[in-house]
Amino acid sequence: MPSEPTSLLQGTLDLLILKSLVAGEMHGLGVSRRIQQITGGTFAVKPGSLFPALHRMEEEGWISSFWGESENNRRAKYYRLTKAGQRQLDAETQRWVRISLAIGQALEA
Amino acid sequence: MPTFVTVRSFLRNLLSFHGVDADLDEEVLSHLELLTEENIRAGMSPKEAQRVARIELGGIEQVKEQVREELIGNWLRSVLSDCRYGLRQLRNNPGFAAVAVLTLSLGIGANAAVFSWIEGILFRPYPAVTHQERLVAIGGTSRDEPGGTPLSWPDFQDLQRSCTLCETLFVSKITGTTLSIGERAERTTGSIVSANYFDAIGVPPVLGRGFFPEEDQGQSAHPVVVISYQLWQDRFRGDPQIIGKTQRLNGVMHTIVGVAPEGFYGTFVGWGMNFWVPASMEDIFEPDGYKLEDRAARWIEAYARLKPGVMRQEAQQEFAVISRRLEAEYPATNRGRAMRLWPLWQTPFNNAGTLLPTLEIMLAVVAFVLLIACANVGNLLLVRSSARRHEMSVRLAIGAGAARLWRQLLTEGLVLSLFGAAGGLLVAYWCRHALVLLFPARGGVQMHLPGEIDWRVLALSAAVCLVTTLLMSLVPALQTGKIDLAHALKMESAGVIGGRGRAWVRSGLVLVQVSLSFVLLVGAGLLMQSLLKIRTASPGFNTRAVQDTAIDLVSAAYTPARAQIFQDALIERVRALPGVESAAFAKMTPLSYVSSTSAPIAVDGYTPPPEESPTVEYNEVGDNYFVTMGIPLVAGREFTRADGEKAALAAVVNETMVERNWQGRSPLGQRLQLKGRWMQVVGVAKDSKYSSVREKSTPFLFVPLRQNSLRGSVLNIRTPVAPQTMAAAIAREVHALDPSVAPYELITMQEQLERSTSPQRVAVTLVGVLGGLALLLAAIGLYGVMSYTVSQSTRELGLRMALGAGSSNLLHLVLSRGLALTGAGVLLGAGTALLLTRLLGNLLYQVSPRDPLAFGCAGAVITVATLAACFLPAWRATRTDPVRALRTG
């Protein structure tokens, strides 16, 4: 379900978090490392931005959380994509494609 | 659904905040551990791994705070936590809390009480009446009296027929009677009303009926009465069979046809009504006989309810058209006359008009008191904020923004002023009916001046509470903006407080308090002086040696002939009493509510200019009246026993009338026509006051009682005997003639005069009390500032002592600082007072609003209060131990 337009930067972070969770449920550090990986190291998300975003998105209903065990048997809070989150991801992706196309055209003109 | 999710998150964040917070705590810690683990795997030592992890995380508390700010409902949560913190602060400082809440309660309570008076007396005086917001009062005007005079019944009926912008018009004219039920006889008030009264006001009787349309027609044709619920309960013991029973009122048996609902007190500001009779019974209750067909007899008080959406001005224009038509049709009675619509709060014929200026002044006064209270609490908060400077610095250091701190201070202020508002509403609730206590009961009947605490009063009080919060929190809040973080944290929490800026603000607050108190004291002084002037003013008759009472023979069912015999017998007995110098009957007492009647007049050889009112006010008086009252005659003679029914009709006129009608030439022997009868002027009386001490001289005339209505019931007695003794003697004489008749309360004319000054007295009392309160608050504020200054300048004082200053020098130093502050405050206050006292306007009587005595006294009182407030701090300054002061300071 597309929500109200978010600011570009915040929207980008949301998009990246949603995208990284497509691969499956993971904890905060996992999300952070996954983003680093899929953007080829361009984005390093600091905890100070990551956690507020995760909690906000959980309140939006895009992701849900549960406590689980990490690879090394440590308790960690895991996040997974919800149906609403999947819809949001689709909408945001389309928007992003449209914007990047537009900006690409603008820069080539 | 997102909305559902949002609401659920909101509730969870709010209700199980500790759960949410613990969860967050654990999550961040687990994140830190995962990071550390990752670093160890990358080959770092555990210690190094933890350090790097911490650097990457960047501060556990900051991350948590950043998350919290993203949470839904965070704003409300932090306000609630500020409230909790504010409450804890109050609990930890009970002394501060008590003083601040008490001060605010008084400030807000005084405002709420005055609001409730204004609402209940001026704006919404008749809570039972439907759509009272569309009610207007109708007053007659003439070119001489733009104020407001009664209307005549025929004029009212024409209005009722012609007015298209009014939904309804009705008459409600106050009257009174002596009610004898069983053994007990007492005065009670009631209304003469038009037959449509109960329908028009939308108050159907709870028992029986209202009046039938034909019941306001014909002379004494419909002796029916509707009684109040109160009367029904108190005097008829709630008799369920009351309808159809009879009760004697003013000597005529009336059938009780209805009982008004509980809580309905009629439509008159100042007195509660206990019975209502239709206008046809007017000649039983009113002087001057049957007046329903007399256009010249102006006696009724009327109201109109405008149709929805009609403005008073529009209706006023229609009324102007109607009165011009009446003027053209009936020049003999209506020449120069018009009608005016008044909003209820300016009703000219009840106490609304007289209380309006007093209540306006009160509104200003309580606003002043509130400002002073705010300044005082603001000062207290400032002291506390100095003590909390360290706390504020820490809050800033760990990441709170200035806006967040302001919000916290405002929330704390709000907690305080909410307590103040709660206390204030309690004060207002206790005081809502208190206004009536300032008025003496007249003839045993207590006034009815209820305050009304409705949603409008509550809303206004809430607004006052918010303004209060802003005003008093503003000062400390502005101060926090100036905190220099690094500097403040380096210092110890104590001892760094103060500084020039802060001292200046505190002095500024005291300055405001002193100047506002000064204005109030000047106001109180002016009102006090004018009250004294009124009390000592000569109304043109003797006030000390004349006493008056009344014997209501009409209520006792006397015929005019029997009444005459009774009065003749009584006056002989009274004149024979020891100590009585003279005695005389009269129809009306000067300066009382019902003081004089007016009637059309014509004077031989005098053609009134077209704009002059063709009526004049007059009184009917018995023989020896002028000698008894001490009104000097400048020419001619006094009425005697010989001015009876068979003698030539006589009149005594006053000097103003001689000036107007005879251009100052002697009128003795000239003729004038009053109510269609020609009479001869036999004397000229000096001007005196007739209905109010403050009236300007008006034409007035006196006619002999025996030649007119014979219904004079007021007995004036000139005697040096004490009123109590005289009252007992009169009662004895009256009882000797007829055991069933009792005289009214006997009072001196001085007492009469003082009762007519109620608005002034109420204003003086209230302004005086509140001015005193303001002064007390200002003195406390000054004391606070001076103590604070002394405690802050211990080092300086110690140094001065070490350098050889004696205690008297120090005393002088501190006192002169206090006095300088006061002096500045008085100057500021004097400037303000010069601008504001003019607003006292017509409450002042022969006192200039710039009266130097009032200003001087206010200054003196303030100075004394200042010295008292400064003395203790000054004395403490002299006790400074220079060694300790220099070592610790």
Side-chain angles (χ1 to χ4, degrees), chain A residues 1 5 8 10-11 20-21 43-44 52 61 71 75 81 84 89-91 96 105:
Chain A
M1 197 176 293
L8 187 62
Q10 191 189 323
S20 62
L21 283 174
F43 285 93
E71 313 84 74
R75 241 168 87 74
L81 207 59
L89 176 60
D90 295 345
W96 181 256
Q105 276 172 3

Side-chain angles (χ1 to χ4, degrees), chain B residues 783 863-873:
Chain B
Y783 168 77
T863 310
V864 169
T866 308
L867 285 176
C870 294
F871 191 77
L872 197 61

